[in-house]
Amino acid sequence: MFRIGEFSKLAMVSVRMLRHYDEIGLLTPDTVDPYTGYRYYSASQLAVIGRIQLLKEMGISLSQITKMLELLDQPQKLESFLQMRHLELQQQQQQLSCQLSLVQSAIERLRKEQTMKQFHVEKKTFPQMKVAYLRKVLPTYADEYQLWAQMNHAFQLLGPGKKMFENKCAMAVFFDEGFREQDVDVEIRVQLSDDFVIDQPPVNEVCFGLLPPVTAATVMLNGSYDQIGHVYEEIAQWVEEHHFQMQGPMFNIYHVSPAMDPNPDNWVTEVCVPLKAE
């Protein structure tokens, strides 16, 4: 038998922690002298301490460890508990990875701010054009690709010679009154050739029509969409300075989209904020 100080050295756990384990019922001494109150531990309890320390290193709380030690003779339940902890750690790892990426982006943005060239805002009027369009409520903005896949299939059904991106304008329009985290109202449009007959029924839910002219404040964004906040800031300042008013849904024109080039550095997006007619 070993006194608490001796056991502390062998277990590499402080005396204070051993007393705390005793108080919460996690690891009680093998015997306690009724006259002196000295705690005595056995050599076999070193294995228990080893398990406790291992579980602590896994990030498992002492209250959970107490329950797990009761399952040592039930390996299936113990494995199930560890599998749950494994899943929790995977989820935490994904969250941390996302947070690390955001922090790294913020660091890089801060380093560039002093020399970063401001985005150039331009007032532009887009002429009337024939378009194919498809509008749906999507789970999130990131699900816009679903519309493009459906639009692409529609052009395949139209037959050879009807290519979707043949020197034409492709855009996404966002109809929600404000920003939404889910259930977003999005329409995609593709400019059609002048000889395209728009007076025909929908194909794969894709409709055809004539888009009226629209005037907008625009910025050409080169690169990934993580700069979009700065773009909107520049447009907002420009709109205020020139005493314009926003009117109608904002839209993006994809000159080089993710579907055309998977490298974000090569993306070219024209961000457009419609303006009220003067």
Side-chain angles (χ1 to χ4, degrees), residues 117-182:
K117 182 180 178 181
Q118 290 186 332
F119 294 101
H120 174 67
V121 183
E122 179 182 356
K123 181 184 175 185
K124 184 182 294 187
T125 297
F126 297 93
Q128 174 180 279
M129 65 178 73
K130 292 181 178 180
V131 294
Y133 59 95
L134 174 63
R135 180 174 175 177
K136 283 189 175 182
V137 173
L138 301 173
T140 67
Y141 294 108
D143 296 297
E144 183 186 316
Y145 71 93
Q146 297 178 9
L147 297 181
W148 291 111
Q150 187 172 341
M151 176 79 78
N152 184 58
H153 184 56
F155 273 79
Q156 291 176 355
L157 294 174
L158 284 170
K162 302 296 184 182
K163 295 182 179 179
M164 186 164 62
F165 295 112
E166 189 173 16
N167 302 318
K168 297 299 176 182
C169 173
M171 67 184 77
V173 187
F174 310 102
F175 282 95
D176 292 305
E177 183 178 353
F179 178 85
R180 294 177 61 90
E181 294 182 352
Q182 58 185 15

Side-chain angles (χ1 to χ4, degrees), residues 206-252:
V206 174
C207 301
F208 310 96
L210 195 61
L211 185 67
V214 59
T215 299
T218 73
V219 165
M220 199 66 73
L221 171 59
N222 296 288
S224 67
Y225 302 138
D226 60 4
Q227 305 175 72
I228 197 73
H230 295 293
V231 171
Y232 286 142
E233 183 179 348
E234 290 288 341
I235 292 178
Q237 290 178 354
W238 185 91
V239 168
E240 275 193 354
E241 290 171 2
H242 291 79
H243 307 290
F244 286 113
Q245 287 183 291
M246 295 173 55
Q247 180 174 279
M250 297 192 300
F251 59 95
N252 292 337

Side-chain angles (χ1 to χ4, degrees), residues 132-133 154 158 196-209:
Y133 59 95
L158 284 170
F196 193 100
V197 178
I198 58 175
D199 186 17
Q200 61 175 292
V203 177
N204 197 32
E205 299 183 285
V206 174
C207 301
F208 310 96

